DNA sequence: CCTACCGATCGGTAGG
DNA sequence: CCTACCGATCGGTAGG
C-alpha cells in the first residue's frame, strides 16, 4: 500500500495544514500523522517547521510571479488587466493551499524571509498598478481613481475568491472571471445611471 | 502607576494579540505579560483562552450588526448601499483588533460558536445582497451581475481595508469611502468607453 | 523512518 | 493577583 514519502509529499501536506489550521495551529506531530509517520521522522526530510513554511510561501509567490509573466503584453491596458485577473484567479484556484498560506501566514515568517515576501507581493501589486496607470494614460480607464487604490481594490476581490468560490456552485471559473471583469470595469451602476451611486464628496 | 486590571482590559489586550499573532500564536502567559501580570492570574478574570476568543469575536460581530442597523432605510438603493459601505469602513477602522480577529480567527472557534458566527456573517452579508437586488429592481444597478456575487465583491474590498489603509497616508477616511463608491458604482472604465474592459464571454 | 528522549512551553488549577 | 504546581504537548536531536 503506502510507500515512502518524499520531501515533496511533506511540503504538500504542510501547505494543506498551514492553510487549514494556520502555522501556529499545526504541529509537526499532526503533520506527521497526515503522512502516516511520526513527527520526529519529518526531520529526515526537512530542516524544521519554519523551513516548511518558507518553502510553501515561496511556492505561492512563485505561482503569482509566473502568472504575471504569462499574462503577456497585450496592446490595450484593458486586455492586459484581463489577463492579469484571469491569471490571478487561476493561481488562487489551482494552488489554494499555497496561496492561502502565502496570503494569511506571512506574519509567521522569520523577519528576513517575511521582508522578502512582502517585497515580492509589492512587485506583483505594481503590475496591476502599472496597467491601471497605463489605462488612465490611454483614456481607457477613468482618471479620478488612483491606480494605487484601484490595484488594491482589484486584488482585494481576487484574493478573497478562495474564501467563497467553489467550482460550479453556482458559477464556473469562466463566469467568475466574467463577473469580476464586469464589476471591475463598470461597477454595479446601471449604464446611463452612474450618478445614482456617485459619492457626495471627493 | 499601574492599578489593577479589569476584565475589560483583559479582553482588549486579547483582541490586540489575537489580531496581531493569531489565536494559536498567542499564549496566556504572553497575554499576561501584556498586562503586567502572570498568565495564571488571568483566570481570575476569565474562564479560559477560548472564552476570550469568543468574547472578542462576538464584539466584532456586534459592531457590524449595529452599523448595519444604523445605516438606516434611505429611499434609494444607492444611498442605502453608501450608508452600509461607510458604516462598514467605520467599524473596520474604529475596531481594528476585534474586526481582524472576527475576520481571521473564526476557524479557531469551537464548533458551536463558529457556526453561530458564520450565521451572523451570512445575515450581515444578506443586507448587502438585498440592497443590491433592490437596486436592480429599481433600475439603479445593472442586472447582469448577480447580487450575491456583487455583495461578496464589495465586502471583499471592505474587509481588506484594514490590511492596507492608514489614516491620512495618503487618503483620509472620507476619501477612502469616496474611492470605494466610485469603484463600486462605476468601476475603473472611463465613462463612454466601458466596452474596452467588457469580458469576452458571459 | 523509528526509538527514545530533551528542555521548553502550553492551558489551566488549588490555595491563598 | 501570586505561588507553586499539574499533565500534555511543543519543536527538535542522537543514534540507529
Amino acid at each position: 500500500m503506502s510507500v515512502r514519502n518524499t520531501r515533496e509529499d511533506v511540503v504538500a501536506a504542510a501547505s494543506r495544514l498551514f492553510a487549514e489550521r494556520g502555522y501556529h495551529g499545526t504541529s509537526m506531530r499532526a503533520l506527521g500523522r497526515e503522512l502516516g509517520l511520526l513527527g520526529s521522522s519529518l526531520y529526515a526530510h526537512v530542516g524544521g517547521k519554519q523551513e516548511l513554511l518558507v518553502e510553501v510561501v515561496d511556492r505561492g509567490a512563485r505561482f503569482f510571479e509566473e502568472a504575471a509573466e504569462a499574462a503577456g503584453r497585450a496592446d490595450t491596458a484593458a486586455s492586459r488587466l484581463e489577463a492579469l485577473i484571469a491569471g490571478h484567479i487561476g493561481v488562487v484556484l489551482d494552488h489554494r493551499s499555497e496561496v492561502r498560506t502565502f496570503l494569511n501566514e506571512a506574519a509567521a515568517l522569520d523577519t528576513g524571509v517575511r521582508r522578502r515576501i512582502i517585497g515580492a507581493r509589492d512587485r506583483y501589486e505594481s503590475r496591476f498598478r502599472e496597467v491601471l496607470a497605463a489605462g488612465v494614460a490611454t483614456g481607457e480607464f477613468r482618471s479620478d481613481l488612483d491606480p494605487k487604490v484601484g490595484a488594491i481594490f482589484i486584488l482585494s476581490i481576487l484574493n478573497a475568491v478562495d474564501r467563497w468560490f467553489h467550482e460550479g456552485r453556482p458559477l464556473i471559473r469562466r463566469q467568475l472571471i466574467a463577473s469580476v471583469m464586469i464589476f471591475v470595469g463598470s461597477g454595479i451602476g446601471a449604464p446611463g445611471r452612474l450618478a445614482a451611486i456617485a459619492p457626495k464628496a471627493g
Side-chain angles (χ1 to χ4, degrees), chain A:
Chain A
M1 280 291 218
S2 67
V3 277
R4 254 160 165 272
N5 289 296
T6 65
R7 186 191 147 93
E8 187 62 30
D9 297 328
V10 176
V11 175
S15 91
R16 284 197 308 271
L17 291 192
F18 290 164
E20 277 167 31
R21 315 177 194 176
Y23 180 72
H24 294 301
T26 302
S27 72
M28 293 299 274
R29 281 165 178 82
L31 177 55
R33 209 174 305 128
E34 189 81 2
L35 294 160
L37 44 80
L38 296 176
S40 58
S41 301
L42 293 168
Y43 292 85
H45 295 102
V46 291
K49 193 185 174 185
Q50 175 75 208
E51 179 186 308
L52 272 173
L53 178 62
V54 172
E55 175 94 24
V56 172
V57 169
D58 270 341
R59 290 187 185 198
R62 211 174 318 129
F63 289 136
F64 281 122
E65 280 162 23
E66 289 168 2
E69 220 47 58
R73 306 266 168 207
D75 284 12
T76 64
S79 59
R80 286 206 297 284
L81 179 61
E82 178 164 11
L84 280 178
I85 287 175
H88 194 103
I89 289 177
V91 170
V92 168
L93 298 183
D94 291 335
H95 307 284
R96 286 190 111 115
S97 299
E98 292 84 353
V99 166
R100 241 180 137 111
T101 304
F102 173 72
L103 292 175
N104 302 327
E105 301 301 318
L109 287 166
D110 290 344
T111 317
V113 201
R114 188 172 62 245
R115 268 203 277 268
R116 179 164 62 74
I117 289 300
I118 290 174
R121 212 125 84 174
D122 285 349
R123 272 196 309 283
Y124 182 74
E125 188 176 304
S126 75
R127 298 286 210 120
F128 285 73
R129 225 162 34 219
E130 284 160 16
V131 170
L132 292 190
V136 170
T138 62
E140 289 169 83
F141 303 153
R142 63 189 316 134
S143 56
D144 60 344
L145 184 74
D146 180 7
K148 218 175 296 188
V149 174
I152 290 172
F153 288 169
I154 294 170
L155 282 166
S156 298
I157 291 172
L158 298 181
N159 287 335
V161 159
D162 136 88
R163 300 191 180 203
W164 63 271
F165 183 80
H166 303 282
E167 197 81 51
R169 290 195 279 151
L171 300 183
I172 59 172
R173 190 179 298 210
R174 208 167 48 79
Q175 293 170 320
L176 169 65
I177 295 172
S179 297
V180 172
M181 290 307 295
I182 291 176
F183 187 83
V184 168
S186 318
I188 62 169
R193 286 197 55 177
L194 297 182
I197 185 117
K200 284 160 187 150

